[in-house]
Amino acid sequence: MAVISVHQFAQCITCHAWSPDRSMVAFCPNNNEVHIYRLVEDKWEKVHVLQKHDQLISGIDWSARSNKIVTASHDRNSYVWNLEGSEWVPTLVILRLNRAALCVQWSPKENKFAVGSGAKTVCICYYEQENNWWVSKLIRKRHDSSVTSVSWHPDNNLLATTSTDGKCRVFSTFIKGVDAKNDNKKDSKKSTSSDLKFGELIVQLDLSSSWTFGVKWSPSGNTLAYVGHNSMIYFVDDVGPSPLAQNVVFRDLPLRDVLFVSEKRVIGVGFDCNPMVFAADERGVWGFVRYLAERKTVSSGSRYGSQFSEAFGKFYGQSKPGVGNDAVETSKTRGVVHENCINSIIRLGERGILTRRFSTSGLDGRIVVWDLENEQDLLEL
C-alpha cells in the first residue's frame, strides 16, 4: 500500500498545510485556531497555536518561498502570518466580505493570494508597500452562489474557481503594478493572460448539475480538473473559447478535492474515505483506474443481505463499514486508512511534472502521507 505514515492529530481536521521544508504541519482542528506541529526525533510536538480568528478556519496555505501562512475563516477575515523570531505575527487582510471566507491559496509567485467566499465573490489580495498592508480587489457579479475552491494557473494570472451554482470558471487576475507584463511572445497563453483585464471571464463551464469542488490545474496548465457532488469528475483541455471537456462517472460517493500527480494522472479524495486514481490513455481519454488503498473484503452473504440498511444508513451519513451491495471493485466500504470524509489533498515537494508524495486530511482527524514510489502500475501509466 502507498501509505507512509498516519498521524492522529485531532478529532476532526478542517484543512492543513506544510512548511517549505516539510518539518512542520499546520492544521485547523475544526475550530477557530491553527495548530502547528514540528517533527522532533520521530515525534510530532505542538509548537504554536495561532489564535486570531473568531469562527471556524476554512482555509490554510503555507507559502514555499516566503514562509508565510495565510488563513481564511467564516468570520469573513483573512490573516497573513509572519514568523518574527519565535512568534507568528498576524497581519489583517482587508477582504470587504459580508459572508464567510471559504478557501484560500497563494499564487505560484506568492505576490498574490485568492480567497473564495460565500458572498459570491473572489478576493485577489496583494501587498501594498506604500501603506504596509494587504488589500484586495474583488471579482463580483460572476458567481451565482458560494465559491468552494480556487486554483492558480502556473502563469500566475489565470484563476479557476468552482461554486455551488454548479459551474467552473476561469478569470484573469492581472493587476497593474503587481504583475509584470509578459514579453515572451513564444508563449501565447501567458502573453494573452497578461493582456486581459482584471476580473475578465475567460470561460464558464456548465458541465455539472450539482455543486462543484476541488478545482486544480495540471503541472503544465494545459488541463483543468474539478469534481461534482453528483459522483462525477470533469477534465477540460484547451481552456478557452472552445474547450475540450470529458467527464468520468463512478458509482461511489462524491469527491471533494483532486490533485494532479502528473499530466495524465489525477488522485481524487472525498466521501468514500479512499483516494481514487484516474488516468488518461494514449488517446487522451480519462477513466477510473483503481483505489489507492486496498479495501476490506466483503462476504457475499452480508453484501446481499443489507442493501436496504446500507442505503438507509448512507442517507443519514452513517454508512456501515464492510457493507456493500455490488460485486464490482467499487463496492461501498470505508477506506482502510481514513475513517471519515477526506476533505483535502496537498502536494509534498516542489511544483513539477511528477509528484510522488502527497498528504491527505479528513474529518477523522488524521493526516496521512502517501508515496507512489512503489506503485509501479501507476508510475507506468
Side-chain angles (χ1 to χ4, degrees), residues 282-299:
E282 62 276 2
R283 299 171 299 165
V285 178
W286 288 86
F288 171 70
V289 179
R290 67 175 176 88
Y291 287 95
L292 192 57
E294 297 177 358
R295 287 179 170 271
K296 300 176 182 178
T297 58
V298 183
S299 64

Side-chain angles (χ1 to χ4, degrees), residues 36 38 47-51 67 69 80-90:
I36 300 179
R38 182 192 297 273
V47 291
H48 300 285
V49 177
L50 309 186
Q51 297 175 314
N67 195 36
I69 298 175
V80 175
W81 303 78
N82 295 278
L83 184 61
E84 298 181 3
S86 59
E87 298 293 329
W88 287 93
V89 179

Side-chain angles (χ1 to χ4, degrees), residues 278-348:
F278 299 88
D281 59 19
E282 62 276 2
R283 299 171 299 165
V285 178
W286 288 86
F288 171 70
V289 179
R290 67 175 176 88
Y291 287 95
L292 192 57
E294 297 177 358
R295 287 179 170 271
K296 300 176 182 178
T297 58
V298 183
S299 64
S300 59
S302 64
R303 178 184 300 120
Y304 294 105
S306 56
Q307 294 183 14
F308 176 77
S309 61
E310 169 69 10
F312 190 78
K314 191 158 293 184
F315 180 77
Y316 284 99
Q318 299 170 352
S319 176
K320 294 182 178 180
V323 176
N325 61 1
D326 206 331
V328 297
E329 71 278 5
T330 54
S331 61
K332 296 173 177 57
T333 60
R334 289 292 181 92
V336 297
V337 181
H338 282 284
E339 292 297 332
N340 208 329
C341 172
I342 306 174
N343 50 25
S344 66
I345 178 170
I346 304 294
R347 174 189 293 106
L348 295 179

